[in-house]
Amino acid sequence: MKHIAYIVTFAALILLAACNADTYEKKGDKALALGEYYLAADYYKRAYSQTRSVERNKRGERALKMAQCYERFNNAQKAVGAYRNAVRYKVADSEAMLHFGRQLLKTGDYKSAQKVFAELKDSMPGNVLVKNGLESADKAQLWKKQGSNYTVKKMDIFNSRRDDYSPCFGGEDNDYLYFSSTRNDAEGDDLNGITGTKSADIFYSQKDDKGKWSRPESVGTGLNTEYDEGACYITPDGSEMYLTLCEEDGDYPRFAKIVKSSRSDASWGKPQDVVISRDSLSTFAHPAVSPDGAWLYFVSDMPGGKGGMDIWRSRITSAGLMGVENLGEPVNTPGNEMFPTFRQNGDFYFSSDGHPGMGGLDIFVAKIGEDHKYHIENLGYPMNSNADDFGMTFEGAHNRGFFSSSRNDGRGYDHIYSFDNPEIVQLIKGWVYEVDGYELNAAEIRLVGSDGTNKRLSVKSDGSFEQVVKPGVDYIMLATCNGFLNKKEELTVPKTDKSETYTLQFPLSSISAPVLIDNIFYEFNKATLLKSSQAALDSLVMLLNENPNITIELGAHTDFKGPDAYNKALSQRRAEEVVKYLVSKGISSDRLTPVGYGEEKPKKIRRKVAERYTWLKEGDVLTEEFISTLKPNEQETANALNRRTEFTVLRTTYDMFDENGNIKNPPKPRKPKLEEETGDGDTFYFDF
């Protein structure tokens, strides 16, 4: 009887274990359907462990499901172990073996991967992923030995014990680094069912004047939520951030979407949805904006792609995104192409596990060749490894910056690395701003080079711009902005084997406000111009020649010392003296009106003057009463500021029309000396 009782008890335990295994598998299936791969893997693992070894088919099927989940949340080591069990129990078909081989590559087990792909050549003839996988297994060690010009270093300052990935430069001087992280400081208290960590948030680090990066901190609750925020990308002008958001719903599968946040003062606002397609059953992720701001690139598995995740793009317009197109071959493959990004010169970078590589996601660059097609190049070792390598960001025009990789982390967590590939870079760096006023972020730079270069350059929020130029080329740059006069600069870039940065300033003169002509000097109590005024006056001559359709008033001002009538007469003579000089340089006298104001119009302080003199603030008016409240040395400076010569634009249509109101000398079609179509189809050219 005791023996029979043992048998009954043992049978009951077996039955209970089988019931538990089935329950865990059902829970795993539900979690998998919702995209909660970490949670599903845990359920399948429990189901597997409670499945009797004699139930080989069930054990193998549960191992296979477990492997697929480990693969989805990037734990390649555990995925390989689970796939081996699926193979041992003979439930792995050709498709499962293909995934097994790809995971073997990701762990760096090239010998085993080579064997798997060689066997698959017969069962899956013509399969691109099999072909590329076999090439990867055959050549990865050689590629590692060959190396490249890149140097790579792990950046401990940015990294935590969890995922840190997809860095992105921000700030006017690339002094901010934004990235995604699942560290413990992220919002929310729950662990993510997809990864088993906290949901990712956007963090940032700031670089000080000595080049040292600060400890990362959260961007804040205006942008971050309890859900997943990741893979951010800041527009070229720095005003907007695109990012991926993955919200959680316990009853429906998770689908990532792209959102956009606008910068207000020093913080990022609450993100708004970016409508790409009405397709609600596809993923939209990993946004990137082209250097000209014209295209949004993104990743999606929507119908019409090559397989897996593909890279797509949509045109950015004032009315929203217009049209969607797949980049096609050779960029996209039946594998996964992800994390698009751009270098300032227009080179396009992305990560892929479908092209031949070292394993996992490798970083590739796609350059437009003379045939106007993309040509794909693997960046090689050490940029790439057998793990996932992705999410590059470039420091300005240079081939250096940061990227993320899961290399050397057995748990599959991503971390941030620096990279550097020294190149000789000739760079123009410029600023466009209002004379004595604010930066002009609505300005545009037109760049023409003697080599045929013809571009429109937008400026950042601080009025700055950067552009890579070529040695031995002559360039002309014209800064334009509505409400302001044009400003032209010329530059010849010498032939050199060193990196150089050429800094240019574009102070634009307002059409509606008086503009100070700085560094105009007269003899004491006289109207005679000093020789030291010549440079400033010649700059005014150049400005008038660059803007031939304006007429101006030359206004001379004095301080409050001396009788009013005397000051007015002196200032009139000084204004007339300036006009004489301009006429002597070829400026028509009927474009110039001299007016002496004496002490009638005290100076109103503008931003740049207030920055120079801390005891003044923007908007102060240097009246006699105001000056009397200042310290003696400050009074003298204020009087000197009142003694000034300014010009004011009177007309912008001088000599544009004939007596019948028709435009004189209308432009005629001609073949330009230098030309190149811009992105909007417009063409412009300068004469050298």
Side-chain angles (χ1 to χ4, degrees):
M1 292 296 293
K2 187 183 292 185
H3 181 66
I4 293 173
Y6 283 144
I7 293 174
V8 171
T9 302
F10 183 65
L13 290 174
I14 291 174
L15 182 62
L16 178 62
C19 290
N20 285 341
D22 291 341
T23 300
Y24 285 134
E25 183 174 29
K26 288 178 182 178
K27 288 183 177 181
D29 290 343
K30 181 179 179 181
L32 179 60
L34 293 173
E36 297 179 330
Y37 306 115
Y38 180 87
L39 194 59
D42 184 59
Y43 284 131
Y44 290 138
K45 182 180 179 181
R46 295 185 188 189
Y48 178 84
S49 65
Q50 296 195 23
T51 304
R52 294 182 301 160
S53 58
V54 294
E55 297 182 276
R56 296 181 62 83
N57 195 62
K58 274 191 177 182
R59 211 165 155 82
E61 287 176 350
R62 287 165 180 170
L64 183 58
K65 289 181 178 180
M66 192 171 20
Q68 292 166 344
C69 290
Y70 285 136
E71 180 178 349
R72 295 300 292 271
F73 68 85
N74 297 323
N75 194 321
Q77 293 286 358
K78 288 187 175 181
V80 165
Y83 274 122
R84 288 193 191 279
N85 283 331
V87 172
R88 180 159 61 98
Y89 289 115
K90 303 186 185 306
V91 299
D93 60 10
S94 295
E95 191 65 32
M97 292 300 293
L98 174 58
H99 284 267
F100 180 34
R102 286 159 65 81
Q103 291 300 294
L104 286 167
L105 287 177
K106 201 168 181 178
T107 62
D109 188 353
Y110 298 122
K111 186 175 181 180
S112 297
Q114 186 181 43
K115 183 178 179 181
V116 170
F117 287 120
E119 292 175 354
L120 285 172
K121 276 186 69 178
D122 296 330
S123 59
M124 303 179 77
N127 186 289
V128 172
L129 296 182
V130 172
K131 172 180 172 294
N132 290 347
L134 184 58
E135 182 178 350
S136 300
D138 287 342
K139 298 181 179 179
Q141 295 285 24
L142 175 62
W143 292 333
K144 185 173 182 178
K145 187 178 294 185
Q146 288 175 339
S148 69
N149 292 328
Y150 286 95
T151 56
V152 167
K153 179 183 178 183
K154 190 175 182 181
M155 297 298 294
D156 292 334
I157 186 66
F158 303 135
N159 294 315
S160 67
R161 293 173 59 84
R162 296 292 183 263
D163 281 311
D164 303 284
Y165 61 96
S166 290
C168 176
F169 273 114
E172 309 301 349
D173 297 312
N174 296 307
D175 52 354
Y176 281 81
L177 190 74
Y178 297 89
F179 60 93
S180 302
S181 179
T182 62
R183 63 187 61 201
N184 292 334
D185 296 331
E187 297 289 328
D189 298 319
D190 297 333
L191 296 183
N192 191 305
I194 300 176
T195 61
T197 64
K198 296 189 76 172
S199 294
D201 276 351
I202 306 298
F203 286 76
Y204 76 95
S205 176
Q206 187 174 7
K207 185 168 61 175
D208 62 21
D209 295 338
K210 297 181 180 179
K212 184 178 180 181
W213 291 96
S214 66
R215 284 285 172 188
E217 55 185 287
S218 172
V219 168
T221 54
L223 188 147
N224 288 324
T225 69
E226 60 185 309
Y227 303 121
D228 258 315
E229 288 86 20
C232 64
Y233 202 97
I234 297 175
T235 55
D237 63 5
S239 65
E240 294 179 321
M241 176 191 290
Y242 288 84
L243 63 151
T244 307
L245 174 63
C246 188
E247 295 176 325
E248 184 176 352
D249 189 319
D251 298 321
Y252 296 95
R254 297 185 182 198
F255 294 101
K257 63 180 180 180
I258 293 174
V259 296
K260 180 173 66 173
S261 172
S262 297
R263 190 172 182 83
S264 177
D265 296 327
S267 62
W268 294 98
K270 184 178 179 180
Q272 304 296 319
D273 287 357
V274 175
V275 179
I276 297 174
S277 168
R278 299 298 177 185
D279 179 357
S280 61
L281 298 178
S282 297
T283 288
F284 298 91
H286 307 169
V289 179
S290 58
D292 59 4
W295 294 91
L296 175 68
Y297 286 68
F298 61 93
V299 169
S300 180
D301 57 357
M302 70 174 117
K306 298 295 180 182
M309 290 290 183
D310 273 13
I311 298 176
W312 305 68
R313 71 174 187 171
S314 181
R315 184 177 287 277
I316 300 172
T317 73
S318 57
L321 298 179
M322 302 292 288
V324 175
E325 62 184 52
N326 188 290
L327 290 197
E329 297 177 351
V331 172
N332 290 320
T333 70
N336 297 296
E337 280 67 50
M338 310 165 80
F339 299 98
T341 192
F342 286 91
R343 194 174 168 190
Q344 195 182 84
N345 64 3
D347 287 348
F348 174 57
Y349 292 76
F350 65 97
S351 290
S352 171
D353 62 9
H355 291 279
M358 309 262 317
L361 291 170
D362 270 21
I363 302 175
F364 295 81
V365 60
K367 297 183 179 181
I368 300 291
E370 294 182 359
D371 56 0
H372 305 292
K373 295 180 180 178
Y374 278 125
H375 294 263
I376 310 300
E377 178 185 342
N378 188 303
L379 296 194
Y381 181 83
M383 280 301 297
N384 290 317
S385 66
N386 58 275
D388 286 333
D389 305 291
F390 62 97
M392 295 180 80
T393 186
F394 292 88
E395 184 181 346
H398 303 283
N399 196 359
R400 63 174 182 251
F402 301 101
F403 73 109
S404 38
S405 176
S406 61
R407 65 186 68 185
N408 302 322
D409 192 305
R411 302 161 300 174
Y413 289 142
D414 304 310
H415 302 291
I416 295 174
Y417 291 75
S418 67
F419 71 89
D420 188 12
N421 186 349
E423 293 180 355
I424 297 173
V425 176
Q426 309 300 320
L427 183 67
I428 292 176
K429 193 168 186 177
W431 282 265
V432 187
Y433 55 91
E434 180 184 2
V435 174
D436 281 339
Y438 289 85
E439 58 274 356
L440 296 173
N441 54 23
E444 180 181 79
I445 300 294
R446 297 182 175 184
L447 176 74
V448 174
S450 57
D451 64 338
T453 298
N454 199 319
K455 294 183 177 181
R456 295 178 184 269
L457 310 177
S458 58
V459 301
K460 297 180 181 179
S461 57
D462 67 342
S464 68
F465 69 93
E466 286 185 353
Q467 178 61 37
V468 175
V469 289
K470 299 176 183 177
V473 177
D474 298 321
Y475 291 96
I476 292 179
M477 286 144 284
L478 184 70
T480 64
C481 187
N482 286 338
F484 294 85
L485 301 180
N486 298 336
K487 174 69 175 173
K488 185 171 70 173
E489 289 288 349
E490 300 183 19
L491 175 70
T492 297
V493 181
K495 293 183 177 180
T496 176
D497 58 357
K498 296 181 180 179
S499 293
E500 298 286 352
T501 298
Y502 305 94
T503 303
L504 299 173
Q505 304 284 343
F506 292 85
L508 301 191
S509 302
S510 173
I511 290 175
S512 57
V515 179
L516 175 69
I517 310 172
D518 211 359
N519 296 320
I520 299 291
F521 305 105
Y522 306 90
E523 290 186 15
F524 180 69
N525 266 351
K526 293 182 180 180
T528 307
L529 286 163
L530 296 178
K531 192 172 182 180
S532 54
S533 303
Q534 184 174 339
L537 289 171
D538 288 345
S539 294
L540 181 57
V541 171
M542 184 181 301
L543 179 70
L544 290 166
N545 285 329
E546 291 171 357
N547 298 270
N549 300 120
I550 67 168
T551 64
I552 63 172
E553 173 192 285
L554 268 302
H557 304 261
T558 66
D559 57 29
F560 291 98
K561 299 176 182 178
D564 293 356
Y566 176 84
N567 284 338
K568 190 172 181 65
L570 176 62
S571 62
Q572 181 65 36
R573 295 197 307 274
R574 286 178 169 178
E576 291 171 354
E577 193 69 18
V578 172
V579 167
K580 282 184 186 177
Y581 184 90
L582 298 178
V583 171
S584 72
K585 295 295 183 177
I587 304 300
S588 175
S589 61
D590 57 357
R591 296 178 63 193
L592 309 168
T593 302
V595 178
Y597 286 101
E599 57 191 76
E600 292 176 5
K601 292 188 175 183
K603 183 176 180 65
K604 184 176 182 179
I605 298 302
R606 302 293 301 280
R607 178 191 181 189
K608 288 192 177 297
V609 177
E611 291 174 350
R612 194 182 315 153
Y613 304 106
T614 56
W615 43 273
L616 291 173
K617 64 179 184 295
E618 187 176 3
D620 284 344
V621 180
L622 302 184
T623 62
E624 190 169 7
E625 292 76 17
F626 177 85
I627 292 175
S628 67
T629 65
L630 302 175
K631 297 175 183 178
N633 61 320
E634 294 172 351
Q635 289 185 16
E636 183 52 42
T637 300
N639 284 325
L641 291 172
N642 268 333
R643 298 190 296 267
R644 67 198 190 277
T645 303
E646 298 174 331
F647 74 84
T648 304
V649 176
L650 300 177
R651 291 172 54 201
T652 59
T653 57
Y654 172 79
D655 203 33
M656 284 183 65
F657 304 97
D658 60 23
E659 57 186 14
N660 296 318
N662 298 317
I663 296 179
K664 289 184 177 180
N665 303 316
K668 298 178 181 179
R670 66 181 175 89
K671 184 177 181 180
K673 184 176 181 180
L674 297 172
E675 66 179 349
E676 177 182 306
E677 288 191 2
T678 61
D680 57 6
D682 190 13
T683 303
F684 58 88
Y685 26 84
F686 302 147
D687 290 323
F688 285 93

